[in-house]
Amino acid sequence: MAEESLHERLSNPARPVFLLGDVPPGEGTPPHKCSEIANKFVSRSRMLAADGYIVYDIQDEPGRTDEKRPFPFRRVMDSSTHAALLANLSGRECLVYKCVADPNFEGWLENNKTIGHTAINLVGRASSEGKYEGPTISEAMNIVEAKEDVHFGCVCIAERHTLEAAQQRGKTYPTEHVNMVRKIKAGAKWFISQAVYDAEPTIRLLKDYATLCKQKRIVPSKVVLTFAPVSRKKTMTFIKWLGVRVPIETEELILSAEKPIEKSIEYLCDVLREILSECAGVGVPLGISCESVSIFKAEIDGVHELFRRLQTIMLDSSGTPWKVQWVEVMPPAGKIGDDGDDEGALVALDPSEKVRTLLLGIMVGTATVSLGVILGGKGKRA
């Protein structure tokens, strides 16, 4: 039986999905340094049973808020290029983020397809105000939906789904669930949430989304919940600047702790438990993504511990036996590769050559639900 691709795992409502997020290196970083950075990320995350990686497309977003950005903005390399490095080094596919505010959006899409990525996540403009080049999110969804062998998801933001947010927009009730159903009709196969620090808006959104899908007789697309640990005031300020809702008492609880990173992880585990408890039986398939929003070592290390704990909580909640096991798998052919001197070259692995791989596999019942990691073996140039 063929291994599910990442977009199939994201689209499959019958199984959870577990992702790890990364940000590309700064724009202008030398190629050899980019490879070193990617290799370090892959090496650190090799022992996590992740289905794949998320690679973010970082934008300045000057029109999103009047508040001063806590960290200075720096441009980063293209998300699809960094994703190619990660895929080659790890054997794991990447979900590539792309902001639609790009006048060369269609050219980027063609290049992304040539590289070999089949799963992308579309991100709309930072604000409805101001001038932006490139397609709108609706236009971008139509463009991608018309392409073959490319599948897309979108973001969902629980902070938009509060009564306060609705009042600010002159509405009597929040409508993020309506936006999600509209995007499903346009072809979105999954949703990735903004970082979660308050369970209540997410619970409200998931329940309203499930109800509307039932009314419309639509199967809900999977919602991947994102979590990011925090260990210091500056990172907490940045999280809030990004639009994440953090209750005052939560901020005080974490930052006043003797070990803030441990308290943050503990708190986020409780948030997931509350979401799973309150949304049990509503019919929305869920997944988990973990990321660090800074390069602070304690927070990067915290991501890995948080990933393991959240994965355990979600799998335990299914009520189905699961385990981690080692197996040998065949790496997929046609991945972006590097034979040592020609970066970005396509390679095809010889099907007759079995390479040693590690599948830190999460077994739920009889189904394996995570991707193998290539430990050795070279590809042959196509």
Side-chain angles (χ1 to χ4, degrees), residues 149-191:
D149 301 323
V150 180
H151 310 267
F152 76 92
C154 295
V155 299
C156 62
I157 301 177
E159 281 77 3
R160 293 176 184 163
H161 206 69
T162 64
L163 296 178
E164 298 92 329
Q167 291 171 0
Q168 291 172 2
R169 297 183 179 207
K171 300 179 183 293
T172 57
Y173 196 80
T175 59
E176 182 69 353
H177 61 311
V178 177
N179 292 334
M180 292 170 71
V181 169
R182 172 177 60 84
K183 291 172 181 177
I184 290 176
K185 291 181 177 179
K189 300 297 191 296
W190 61 82
F191 295 95

Side-chain angles (χ1 to χ4, degrees), residues 65-72 237-238 241:
T65 178
D66 294 329
E67 296 181 16
K68 184 179 179 181
R69 186 185 180 102
F71 297 121
T237 301
F238 186 49
W241 184 88

Side-chain angles (χ1 to χ4, degrees), residues 52-69:
Y53 302 128
I54 290 178
V55 179
Y56 293 103
D57 181 17
I58 306 300
Q59 301 295 316
D60 193 8
E61 303 182 303
R64 192 180 57 78
T65 178
D66 294 329
E67 296 181 16
K68 184 179 179 181
R69 186 185 180 102

Side-chain angles (χ1 to χ4, degrees), residues 18 49-50 306-316 362:
F18 302 98
L306 178 63
F307 181 96
R308 285 186 282 264
R309 291 195 198 181
L310 294 179
Q311 187 174 62
T312 298
I313 291 167
M314 177 160 282
L315 291 171
D316 282 347
I362 295 298

Side-chain angles (χ1 to χ4, degrees), residues 196-197 227-231 236 250 253-255 257 259-273 290-291 297-311 313:
V196 180
Y197 260 87
F227 297 88
V230 167
S231 69
M236 182 66 79
T250 298
L253 174 72
I254 292 171
L255 297 181
K259 296 182 178 180
I261 191 67
E262 293 184 8
K263 180 59 69 175
S264 175
I265 292 170
E266 177 185 314
Y267 171 79
L268 292 175
C269 288
D270 287 340
V271 167
L272 178 60
R273 290 188 186 98
C290 292
E291 62 168 331
K297 186 178 185 302
E299 290 166 353
I300 293 174
D301 291 343
V303 166
H304 292 196
E305 179 61 23
L306 178 63
F307 181 96
R308 285 186 282 264
R309 291 195 198 181
L310 294 179
Q311 187 174 62
I313 291 167

Side-chain angles (χ1 to χ4, degrees), residues 57-103:
D57 181 17
I58 306 300
Q59 301 295 316
D60 193 8
E61 303 182 303
R64 192 180 57 78
T65 178
D66 294 329
E67 296 181 16
K68 184 179 179 181
R69 186 185 180 102
F71 297 121
F73 172 71
R74 66 184 184 100
R75 296 190 179 279
V76 298
M77 70 184 290
D78 180 70
S79 54
S80 63
T81 303
H82 185 57
L85 289 173
L86 296 181
N88 175 57
L89 289 166
S90 68
R92 290 173 173 166
E93 292 182 78
C94 294
L95 171 59
V96 184
Y97 264 54
K98 179 59 182 174
C99 178
V100 303
D102 180 354

